[in-house]
Amino acid sequence: MPSVIDRIKRFARSPQGRKARARAERLARDPRTQAKVRGLLSRGRGGGRRRY
């Protein structure tokens, strides 16, 4: 049985994997997506309201 890493490598080389990578790269360049990620990171780092 192939390991998880082998399966990921095989997917990345497939046409579907290349298409997924292209979409991810396009989304990473989008300013709206970057703003969403920054917001999520700030919330994860304690930027939100604290509940005690």
Side-chain angles (χ1 to χ4, degrees), residues 30-49:
D30 185 10
R32 288 177 298 191
T33 306
Q34 291 174 1
K36 286 180 191 177
V37 170
R38 273 190 234 106
L40 289 172
L41 288 175
S42 71
R43 282 183 16 198
R45 291 182 180 149
R49 191 183 88 173

Side-chain angles (χ1 to χ4, degrees), residues 5 7 10-11 20 27 30-32 36 41-42 50:
I5 300 298
R7 292 173 68 190
R10 191 171 26 170
F11 173 74
L27 285 173
D30 185 10
R32 288 177 298 191
K36 286 180 191 177
L41 288 175
S42 71
R50 293 183 186 255

Side-chain angles (χ1 to χ4, degrees), residues 16-31:
Q16 292 103 342
R18 287 194 293 267
K19 188 174 179 181
R21 180 178 172 179
R23 182 173 187 265
E25 288 174 351
R26 188 176 68 247
L27 285 173
R29 285 190 302 266
D30 185 10

